[in-house]
Amino acid sequence: MKYTMLLASLAPTLMAAPLTRDAFEWTPTLAGYFDVVFQYMQQAKTPGSPSPTCDVSKAAMPIAPTPLPSPSGLVLEHVAIGRGVQNYTCANATATPAAVGAVARFYNASCVAADYPDLLALIPNLALQYPLPSDPSAPLSPSDLQLSSHHFFSNTTTPVFAFDVPESPELGTVFAQKEHSSDAPANAVAGVSGTGNGAVPWLYLTSRSTTEGDIKAVYRLDTAGGQPPATCADMPAAFSVEYSATYWFYK
């Protein structure tokens, strides 16, 4: 019932948003999002239609353009939407931007993954068009997903996922390492308002021995934005690029 009510609230929320160049343009992504929301709303009104279960065992990850290793033998524990920035540095004007980590807030999308998979795939693209809430504990706009964790890097090669807020599932703190990657699909959203240098790769990460908790693998999928320009020409010594993605946590 909670997520049926959530779906019903999305349409008026989005309709109220000003569709301007500075706020939120009408795009095929937005149109597709509306279509899926209304389809699920109509299904929810149909007598005898199944109720949402929030059973994450039913959730299925999308397949990467270059398939990533399967989580065979592992159990899905949590799905989140990450919204934040990818960070880069430039040694000089002729250098290639060097990735030095990311900072993001994660929002609980486990029930959406279980019950509304078509909607889940669209949320990163849509979330990228909105700035993060000024209140760090506020829900993610416009999907109203609740904060579940924080993402940062402890060094340039160690992503950290800290389940450190009151609403977090009890998954501890994950220190990870990259194992495999795949280029994002060719039609992935390149950046805010559809302009940018492309979507960061999809990733398969495994946990390091320093992890606190039972998470063994993390997948970054459905990426939107985050790529730097090809060179450091006209770029500062350090800069950030807005991005969003879905993250799947397995134990």
Side-chain angles (χ1 to χ4, degrees):
M1 179 62 70
K2 174 183 177 182
Y3 283 88
T4 301
M5 293 173 64
L6 170 61
L7 285 171
S9 72
L10 288 176
T13 298
L14 288 174
M15 284 294 192
L19 302 180
T20 67
R21 181 172 300 276
D22 294 330
F24 201 72
E25 292 185 346
W26 183 264
T27 66
T29 298
L30 179 58
Y33 186 78
F34 270 123
D35 286 344
V36 175
V37 168
F38 285 122
Q39 287 171 21
Y40 280 124
M41 289 173 64
Q42 292 303 313
Q43 290 176 18
K45 295 177 182 178
T46 303
S49 62
S51 299
T53 64
C54 197
D55 181 358
V56 292
S57 69
K58 297 180 179 179
M61 287 194 304
I63 298 174
T66 301
L68 299 171
S70 166
S72 178
L74 300 179
V75 176
L76 179 63
E77 281 292 307
H78 185 64
V79 181
I81 300 295
R83 176 68 176 88
V85 295
Q86 296 286 319
N87 295 323
Y88 300 92
T89 59
C90 282
N92 55 63
T94 61
T96 299
V100 292
V103 177
R105 299 178 203 165
F106 279 22
Y107 299 85
N108 191 340
S110 294
C111 292
V112 180
D115 296 315
Y116 309 113
D118 297 344
L119 198 59
L120 179 73
L122 296 176
I123 292 177
N125 300 343
L126 201 56
L128 185 62
Q129 312 310 318
Y130 282 86
L132 280 169
S134 56
D135 178 354
S137 63
L140 178 67
S141 296
S143 55
D144 204 37
L145 300 178
Q146 300 300 306
L147 184 70
S148 69
S149 53
H150 294 94
H151 174 41
F152 54 92
F153 275 61
S154 61
N155 56 50
T156 57
T157 60
T158 304
V160 181
F161 307 93
F163 291 86
D164 55 0
V165 299
E167 297 79 12
S168 293
E170 295 182 359
L171 298 178
T173 302
V174 183
F175 293 83
Q177 58 197 351
K178 185 175 78 171
E179 298 286 354
H180 295 278
S181 67
S182 168
D183 288 343
N187 63 349
V189 171
V192 177
S193 297
T195 62
N197 298 292
V200 288
W202 295 22
L203 299 178
Y204 166 61
L205 311 171
T206 57
S207 61
R208 295 178 183 266
S209 60
T210 49
T211 289
E212 301 168 4
D214 297 326
I215 295 299
K216 298 294 189 293
V218 181
Y219 291 80
R220 182 180 78 184
L221 310 173
D222 291 324
T223 54
Q227 286 281 33
T231 75
C232 288
D234 300 320
M235 300 302 295
F239 65 95
S240 299
V241 181
E242 304 274 345
Y243 93 106
S244 186
T246 57
Y247 288 79
W248 298 63
F249 294 84
Y250 286 83
K251 73 173 186 180

